[in-house]
Amino acid sequence: GRARPSWFHVPAPPPPNSNTKYSHLKQGLRDLKLNTVCEEAQCPNIGECWNGGTGTIMLLGDTCTRACRFCAVKTSSTPAPADAEEPFNTAKAIADWGLDYVVLTSVNRDDMPDGGAEHFAQTVQYIKVWKPTMLVECLVSDFAGMEASVATLALSGLDVYAHNIETVERLQPYVRDKRANYEQSLLVLAHAKKVKPDLVTKTSVMLGLGETKDEVVQTMKDLREAGVDVLTLGQYLRPSPAHLAVEEYVTPEAFDELRVIGEELGFRYVAAGPMVRSSYKAGEFFLEHMIKQDRAGAQQLATDFKTGHEHNRKLNDDQTLSTTH
């Protein structure tokens, strides 16, 4: 792959024995036998997010039934059975964290008849019992296009339904497992919105895989056609030499240009930048959106809403948020 440019900087996570939120969260997850996508997918933002108290919990085990060429999560056609106690245990642990926003995700589970949708739905329902005010985002597979599974999750009480389309249409066969495809992802996102029109839908696209700007803009248009509300755009990073090579490091200026185009196309909000990931500061971006809807309560929201980043948060004059570390 290409050498990383000078402006591309990834802060290293703290050392294993450090007395930080990162190390406490890591130990707490071990104690509860919970997996996070942050670790399994080797996310570069793990130090920053976890020190903020934000972790993205991965349900249904740590082994995926698919083998996408960009992803570091381990794969098998016969993963271990899902833990029936996991929805209850996960919900209780999350409620105790004292956050107002949480992201749940999972591996693909093509071995389960419903793709794991009911397992997800139960987890959401338990969280809402333990802490009704908590906002829950679920980043899920395409459930092999099963509309009944999409509906199960869409009607579970979650607040943000996220499914990643990952790349532009032309590159889908090279980047994703053959069981995933562009049209299927669009249909899943559209169906979630159809089943529950007030649900916020969200997707993510990786850049730097050889796509053109026109293809990215076309993907944005297709996503808006499917009613998608929220878009994140980030730089693809190669997890290992066995994975797809980086074709290009997209500049911060190019990301910013795409963010403006996305906003003009009507997305509720667009997070775009080299280090942006689907779940990166998800609560902060959603809070910014809530503030725009509730100008009168903006300062109260900015002060009280707990995502783990509130201690470093500043409300700007234009109603956007800045978080520093």
Side-chain angles (χ1 to χ4, degrees):
R2 296 173 179 273
R4 290 187 186 179
S6 58
W7 45 260
F8 197 97
H9 173 66
V10 182
N17 302 321
S18 58
N19 185 26
T20 59
K21 274 191 186 174
Y22 172 90
S23 50
H24 290 302
L25 187 54
K26 194 176 177 87
Q27 190 52 51
L29 292 161
R30 292 290 165 281
D31 294 345
L32 292 158
K33 297 185 173 61
L34 295 179
N35 300 299
T36 71
V37 74
C38 324
E39 293 176 290
E40 302 299 333
Q42 301 171 22
C43 180
N45 299 311
I46 190 165
E48 181 186 1
C49 276
W50 282 26
N51 266 332
T54 306
T56 299
I57 300 300
M58 195 156 87
L59 302 176
L60 296 166
D62 64 355
T63 305
C64 188
T65 52
R66 298 188 187 176
C68 297
R69 293 185 62 209
F70 62 87
C71 184
V73 174
K74 64 185 176 204
T75 66
S76 168
S77 58
T78 54
D83 174 6
E85 305 285 308
E86 185 178 57
F88 181 88
N89 292 339
T90 303
K92 181 71 176 80
I94 287 169
D96 288 344
W97 282 352
L99 299 178
D100 291 316
Y101 196 102
V102 68
V103 184
L104 303 174
T105 189
S106 81
V107 289
N108 285 277
R109 289 299 299 253
D110 297 293
D111 59 313
M112 297 172 73
D114 69 347
E118 184 58 40
H119 191 95
F120 253 103
Q122 283 179 10
T123 309
V124 173
Q125 286 155 2
Y126 279 131
I127 290 171
K128 295 288 187 175
V129 168
W130 289 112
K131 192 174 178 191
T133 57
M134 181 176 273
L135 297 176
V136 182
E137 175 177 324
C138 291
L139 170 60
V140 293
S141 74
D142 56 18
F143 295 124
M146 292 185 284
E147 291 189 345
S149 292
V150 175
T152 294
L153 184 59
L155 298 171
S156 67
L158 86 170
D159 301 281
V160 180
Y161 190 114
H163 166 66
N164 290 346
I165 200 160
E166 307 294 8
T167 188
V168 300
E169 187 169 17
R170 176 178 58 86
L171 295 177
Q172 294 273 325
Y174 307 104
V175 173
R176 301 173 81 191
D177 184 276
K178 63 181 182 296
R179 284 161 288 187
N181 66 73
Y182 190 77
E183 197 59 37
Q184 184 163 277
S185 287
L186 288 172
L187 289 170
V188 161
L189 288 159
H191 193 64
K193 183 66 94 175
K194 179 182 171 188
V195 170
K196 195 166 189 290
D198 61 344
L199 193 60
V200 175
T201 51
K202 175 178 175 178
T203 197
S204 186
V205 177
M206 299 176 289
L207 302 186
L209 286 162
E211 69 291 326
T212 66
K213 180 183 171 184
D214 286 349
E215 286 176 319
V216 177
V217 173
Q218 185 58 52
T219 301
M220 288 182 180
K221 289 176 179 174
D222 294 342
L223 291 165
R224 285 298 300 129
E225 192 76 23
V228 175
D229 299 299
V230 177
L231 175 65
T232 67
L233 299 167
Q235 171 69 49
Y236 166 66
L237 292 179
R238 189 184 202 179
S240 83
H243 291 83
L244 283 171
V246 175
E247 293 297 324
E248 176 192 7
Y249 281 101
V250 179
T251 64
E253 294 74 22
F255 274 110
D256 214 43
E257 201 178 320
L258 288 168
R259 177 184 57 77
V260 171
I261 293 169
E263 287 168 353
E264 287 169 351
L265 285 171
F267 287 102
R268 288 202 205 178
Y269 61 95
V270 180
M275 298 303 294
V276 170
R277 295 293 176 269
S278 182
S279 308
Y280 175 62
K281 287 189 180 174
E284 290 295 298
F285 287 114
F286 195 83
L287 169 60
E288 199 168 284
H289 166 65
M290 290 197 303
I291 284 170
K292 285 175 181 163
Q293 307 301 305
D294 178 15
R295 299 281 171 142
Q299 191 56 61
Q300 197 69 37
L301 279 166
T303 305
D304 295 344
F305 193 77
K306 290 180 174 56
T307 65
H309 295 278
E310 60 274 6
H311 306 301
N312 304 303
R313 181 189 298 147
K314 174 174 170 280
L315 180 64
N316 303 316
D317 293 340
D318 63 354
Q319 309 287 299
T320 59
L321 296 173
S322 302
T323 55
T324 55
H325 286 268

